[in-house]
Amino acid sequence: MKFTYKSCLRCLLFAGGLLASAKANGDSGPPPESKTQLTAPSFDLRDFVTSELAAGKQKIVIPPGRHHLQPANGSHLRFQGLQNVVIIATNVELVCGATVQAIGFDRCTNVTLKGLTIDYDPLPFTQGKIVALGPEKRWMEFELFDGYPDGGLEERIEIFDPATRELRRASYYGWRDFERTGPRRYRVSKATNYRYRPQMDTEQVGDLLVANNSTPERGGPHAVLLTECSNLTLQDVTLYASPTFGFLEVGCTGSTYRRCRIDRRAPSDDPVSRASARLRSLNADAFHSKNAVKGPAIIECFAHWQGDDCVNINGRYYYVAGSQERTLRIVAFDEPVIVPGDPVEFLPYEGGLLPPAKTLSLTPVTESLSAAEQALFKKINLVENTRRRFERDAKVFSLVLDREVQLPPGSAVCAASRLGNGFLIKDCDFGDNRSRGILIKASQGEVTGNRVARSRMAGVLISPEFHWMEAGCSSDVTVKNNTFAGIGQTPIRILANGGNGQPLPAGAHRNLAVLDNRFEDCPWPLIEASSVAGLTVAGNVWPKTPPPGKSAAKPGQTNRSRAAGEL
């Protein structure tokens, strides 16, 4: 049992809660609620936990209180190598003083954290009102509301309808730098290649705007990070803000998230007085699992108003620059998680599917990509952030397999046993986000009993994403007894595209079931499937006709599914 923290700063004590008002600029916010009263603690939170662990205690009960902390070594709290420890933090709030990691768990086993609330001051986002729009909405000016940070503005921008307090439009990427035009007033322009599209560019003067905000401190960008942990449980943990993801786990096995809550904080419970109630919870994904040996169990959790997906379970793809007999030349922008003995799954750039192979060795090579390899790499479909990471951090490796493969350049490979297989997402409430509800790239899992409402993209998407280098294809997954309401796209989508963006043959996904789900006010077709061998669709309930204004199935399609390949 071990806890390390090299430095410890004294807590900044907050003497009592303040009743926040959100009535200004025509934005009344949600109705008043009873306020959580947290008194100023009389001890340093880090000192307290450190001393309890040093005393050998395996059950630590933190007295109630609101603790303001500044980070040390890039994190506000960090736990390393803990085993068989339970931390009870009921009515305990951690207020992070910089926009870096709140808590890190590193190589911990059988650890449970219960009851903690996490918030940030200053917030990792800021908020204002649009006061002017340029011709064809090429630029906009906005003024920040009192109570929100000023000075560290960054993309991503989201725009909300002030009447409904819901997203006005889909996210636009390509905003240029923020330009200060007056006290708490900014102008921001769209990219030089921007083209006005009335159906997409629906922002208006008077709309509410949210943008990321960062402080100068350096550190991890996610609120709660689990690294190579086993059987770690987070229970009744509430997040009101995060610079990026809420809960991120990397290389873990058997994590459990039970009754965790991600929400925008109500003004009656906000200890900081603000002229407008919060519109966002987190800046990006709520729950994100990467390279898990056994996937997470996410049970009875709530995640709304975050800036990206509610759930994303995936592994890492590595780019294939070339292949010769049993050897692949792969490119990674981080250290590959493939080890000898691992089964390897392939995502071809084009053409037929290949069965998995076994890894014999993985070794770094000194030579960089050839001119021809670089030319092909520049043409492939990658999101800009992923492309920049490759260009900045590319490392080339020689991957030797137990058999010969013929894989076209531009393909991808992943460790098939490190995708989050064995996951469970059950009885959760998700939605009100700009992207997907539940995004699955793993196998042997279940999505059951959840409600997903008002996600702007798919409610459930089962698909590898080459352009993000997120793996892989799925088998033996069941999506059952869920409710989808007001989803912006086809609610259930099952896709598998090769590196060239075209659908792969049937068999990329295998043995999937979509059972007993309900659909309310969603666009048709309600289920879309491609590249599947063995798909069962049964017992689902939907209206006989599309909702007004929602698209109906195209000729040759059915309302049950839009299918390509074997169903």
Side-chain angles (χ1 to χ4, degrees):
M1 181 171 61
K2 182 181 178 183
F3 175 88
T4 63
Y5 224 111
K6 294 182 179 179
S7 62
C8 184
L9 304 178
R10 298 300 301 173
C11 294
L12 301 177
L13 304 182
F14 185 87
L18 300 176
L19 181 62
S21 170
K23 189 171 183 180
N25 302 290
D27 176 27
S28 59
E33 301 176 3
S34 59
K35 180 158 184 61
T36 302
Q37 298 291 338
L38 292 179
T39 59
S42 57
F43 59 92
D44 182 292
L45 178 62
R46 277 197 293 256
D47 280 352
F48 176 81
V49 176
T50 301
S51 62
E52 293 286 280
L53 290 169
K57 294 186 178 179
Q58 293 188 305
K59 181 177 181 180
I60 299 170
V61 180
I62 302 175
R66 176 176 285 123
H67 302 262
H68 288 242
L69 293 181
Q70 293 298 321
N73 299 325
S75 180
H76 292 79
L77 289 174
R78 181 175 289 125
F79 301 94
Q80 295 178 310
L82 293 188
Q83 295 184 26
N84 306 316
V85 172
V86 176
I87 301 173
I88 308 296
T90 304
N91 292 324
V92 176
E93 182 171 332
L94 168 61
V95 182
C96 300
T99 56
V100 299
Q101 182 183 103
I103 302 178
F105 292 91
D106 185 14
R107 295 176 175 83
C108 297
T109 301
N110 298 327
V111 171
T112 297
L113 172 64
K114 296 183 179 180
L116 183 67
T117 294
I118 297 173
D119 204 354
Y120 283 75
D121 184 17
L123 289 172
F125 63 86
T126 192
Q127 196 164 305
K129 176 191 285 189
I130 298 175
V131 295
L133 290 169
E136 295 187 328
K137 303 181 181 178
R138 292 182 177 275
W139 55 263
M140 63 182 175
E141 288 199 12
F142 60 94
E143 293 180 349
L144 299 179
F145 293 126
D146 289 342
Y148 288 92
D150 179 13
L153 279 66
E154 299 175 341
E155 255 271 76
R156 132 181 331 123
I157 290 174
E158 292 180 302
I159 296 172
F160 291 76
D161 183 329
T164 64
R165 295 178 54 80
E166 296 179 359
L167 287 166
R168 166 77 77 184
R169 58 156 298 159
S171 296
Y172 170 80
Y173 291 97
W175 294 102
R176 299 162 76 179
D177 292 341
F178 292 89
E179 176 188 357
R180 187 185 291 272
T181 59
R184 300 185 65 80
R185 180 168 175 145
Y186 290 84
R187 175 181 288 200
V188 62
S189 300
K190 294 177 180 175
T192 54
N193 63 353
Y194 164 75
R195 296 293 180 268
Y196 175 59
R197 294 180 293 172
Q199 72 277 17
M200 294 289 293
D201 301 302
T202 56
E203 59 266 31
Q204 302 174 16
V205 171
D207 281 351
L208 306 179
L209 175 145
V210 179
N212 289 10
N213 170 72
S214 67
T215 58
E217 293 82 357
R218 305 292 294 177
H222 311 290
V224 180
L225 174 63
L226 283 55
T227 305
E228 298 182 21
C229 295
S230 298
N231 301 322
L232 195 142
T233 297
L234 297 173
Q235 180 172 313
D236 299 312
V237 175
T238 296
L239 298 182
Y240 285 126
S242 173
T244 313
F245 298 159
F247 299 100
L248 170 63
E249 59 172 51
V250 179
C252 295
T253 185
S255 303
T256 298
Y257 305 85
R258 189 179 299 274
R259 294 189 303 276
C260 293
R261 186 175 186 89
I262 291 169
D263 201 359
R264 53 190 185 188
R265 194 164 198 169
S268 58
D269 189 48
D270 196 331
V272 177
S273 179
R274 309 183 197 277
S276 175
R278 301 190 199 186
L279 291 164
R280 181 187 284 179
S281 55
L282 319 178
N283 285 356
D285 294 359
F287 299 89
H288 193 114
S289 173
K290 189 172 294 294
N291 303 335
V293 177
K294 180 182 179 182
I298 303 173
I299 303 169
E300 297 180 29
C301 292
F302 181 100
H304 285 252
W305 307 110
Q306 70 278 354
D308 216 325
D309 304 319
C310 301
V311 173
N312 186 350
I313 299 175
N314 64 84
R316 173 71 74 203
Y317 275 134
Y318 304 104
Y319 177 76
V320 176
S323 66
Q324 183 176 8
E325 297 180 345
R326 296 187 303 153
T327 302
L328 300 182
R329 184 172 159 86
I330 69 170
V331 185
F333 53 71
D334 51 11
E335 199 65 31
V337 298
I338 302 173
V339 298
D342 274 352
V344 171
E345 179 183 297
F346 305 99
L347 185 78
Y349 182 79
E350 59 188 358
L353 302 169
L354 295 175
K358 183 179 289 186
T359 302
L360 295 183
S361 65
L362 179 73
T363 55
V365 297
T366 56
E367 65 268 22
S368 58
L369 295 182
S370 68
E373 290 171 336
Q374 291 180 15
L376 175 61
F377 180 77
K378 291 179 180 179
K379 295 179 181 179
I380 65 173
N381 178 30
L382 292 175
V383 297
E384 193 57 35
N385 285 344
T386 301
R387 186 179 300 280
R388 282 199 298 266
R389 291 190 68 184
F390 270 117
E391 292 172 347
R392 184 183 67 235
D393 303 322
K395 303 173 185 176
V396 182
F397 295 82
S398 176
L399 174 64
V400 180
L401 305 173
D402 67 343
R403 64 176 178 82
E404 182 175 337
V405 297
Q406 294 183 353
L407 200 62
S411 300
V413 298
C414 68
S417 60
R418 302 172 193 276
L419 300 174
N421 299 339
F423 67 89
L424 173 65
I425 305 171
K426 182 178 180 181
D427 297 337
C428 295
D429 187 332
F430 295 144
D432 292 304
N433 60 310
R434 56 162 291 276
S435 50
R436 286 73 61 99
I438 299 170
L439 176 54
I440 299 298
K441 302 166 188 176
S443 297
Q444 294 110 47
E446 189 172 304
V447 178
T448 181
N450 305 287
R451 177 176 176 84
V452 184
R454 298 174 300 281
S455 290
R456 301 281 294 209
M457 301 181 190
V460 169
L461 173 61
I462 299 175
S463 177
E465 290 186 312
F466 178 91
H467 54 288
W468 282 104
M469 284 284 129
E470 290 185 352
C473 293
S474 298
S475 62
D476 303 305
V477 172
T478 298
V479 179
K480 69 176 183 180
N481 197 31
N482 303 285
T483 297
F484 302 95
I487 304 300
Q489 292 181 345
T490 290
I492 298 178
R493 307 186 76 197
I494 301 168
L495 310 173
N497 292 337
N500 63 357
Q502 300 303 307
L504 294 172
H509 297 302
R510 302 176 305 280
N511 303 325
L512 307 184
V514 180
L515 310 172
D516 305 320
N517 301 285
R518 300 183 64 88
F519 302 86
E520 304 167 1
D521 191 32
C522 295
W524 285 24
L526 297 168
I527 302 170
E528 176 184 7
S530 69
S531 310
V532 187
L535 171 64
T536 301
V537 180
N540 300 286
V541 178
W542 46 61
K544 294 181 179 179
T545 59
K550 307 290 185 179
S551 58
K554 297 178 181 178
Q557 299 168 349
T558 72
N559 292 335
R560 291 176 66 87
S561 64
R562 181 164 66 199
E566 180 185 346
L567 296 180

